[in-house]
Amino acid sequence: MNTREVKVQKQGWIPKKERIWVIVAIIIAASIMLWGIKGLLQLSLTTLHSRQFEHTFKGFGSNARIALFFVLAYYVFLRVIRLRMLKGQGKVKKWLSTLLRFARRWHTPAAIIAIAFIILHTVAVFMHGFKFDLNNISGMLSLLVLLPVPISGIFRYQRRDRKWHLRSGVAFAILFLIHSFL
């Protein structure tokens, strides 16, 4: 067993420097979900099937979309910083590396909060009435593809995910964009 494997075994599931922000994000996400579900359960049946309620669940989806664009920005910055045409651009690369560090630091907390909004959006859509159309089917497919992303993200910290986090994340991003812009 080399020193890297020993270090990975000792650190726990989440690295120490990110643990506090992940815990804070979980608390915020749980608060958002409890507040949202409490509000949804207090609505009358006539309200659930009104056009006004569509704005409610679309609002949850919009909040999730904003958080997910922030989460996906990490991969965009990572890809852009590796471009060959930036080889001689020191100032641009320095600026991009600052943005990359910021996006990396907030990638996991923003993803946790986005998942809370996605769950609220899903619950509200089912309360409103699920119809078999392209928009709802693409949403369900993206939700199914989203399920392994956080699990593989935990294994990503341990370097045991074999790129499943990235692969399932890209598949989710494609389906999410289809659902989001339909």
Side-chain angles (χ1 to χ4, degrees):
M1 196 180 287
N2 62 24
T3 57
R4 182 176 174 199
E5 290 173 355
V6 170
K7 186 178 179 182
V8 167
Q9 286 178 349
K10 286 183 182 179
Q11 81 179 10
W13 283 102
I14 301 169
K16 218 173 198 177
K17 64 183 179 179
E18 289 187 39
R19 196 172 298 154
I20 185 73
W21 294 112
V22 169
I23 292 169
V24 168
I26 289 171
I27 291 169
I28 291 170
S31 301
I32 289 169
M33 284 180 44
L34 289 173
W35 168 77
I37 289 177
K38 179 184 175 226
L40 290 174
L41 291 176
Q42 292 177 351
L43 296 174
S44 66
L45 286 176
T46 56
T47 306
L48 288 177
H49 299 293
S50 69
R51 296 283 275 169
Q52 181 184 2
F53 185 68
E54 284 186 33
H55 296 294
T56 301
F57 70 78
K58 286 182 179 181
F60 291 138
S62 293
N63 291 337
R65 182 185 331 173
I66 292 167
L68 285 171
F69 280 140
F70 186 81
V71 170
L72 295 173
Y74 169 68
Y75 295 109
V76 172
F77 289 141
L78 193 62
R79 190 75 173 161
V80 168
I81 207 163
R82 292 180 181 170
L83 291 175
R84 289 184 184 204
M85 63 181 167
L86 294 177
K87 202 159 195 147
Q89 305 292 328
K91 286 185 178 182
V92 174
K93 282 188 109 172
K94 188 175 183 179
W95 183 71
L96 280 173
S97 67
T98 303
L99 286 174
L100 180 66
R101 274 193 303 275
F102 181 78
R104 172 64 194 110
R105 180 176 183 173
W106 295 104
H107 174 82
T108 305
I112 292 169
I113 293 170
I115 288 172
F117 281 118
I118 289 169
I119 291 170
L120 281 175
H121 175 70
T122 305
V123 168
V125 166
F126 276 106
M127 288 175 77
H128 179 68
F130 183 83
K131 298 175 195 104
F132 283 98
D133 58 0
L134 185 60
N135 193 19
N136 288 339
I137 292 172
S138 66
M140 287 304 296
L141 287 174
S142 60
L143 182 66
L144 289 174
V145 173
L146 175 65
L147 293 176
V149 175
I151 295 166
S152 60
I154 292 171
F155 289 121
R156 179 77 190 118
Y157 282 128
Q158 299 291 319
R159 307 265 189 248
R160 295 183 191 169
D161 75 323
R162 299 181 192 227
K163 296 192 179 185
W164 281 108
H165 184 67
L166 179 62
R167 291 175 184 155
S168 56
V170 167
F172 168 72
I174 292 168
L175 288 170
F176 159 72
L177 289 173
I178 291 170
H179 173 69
S180 182
F181 292 111
L182 278 179

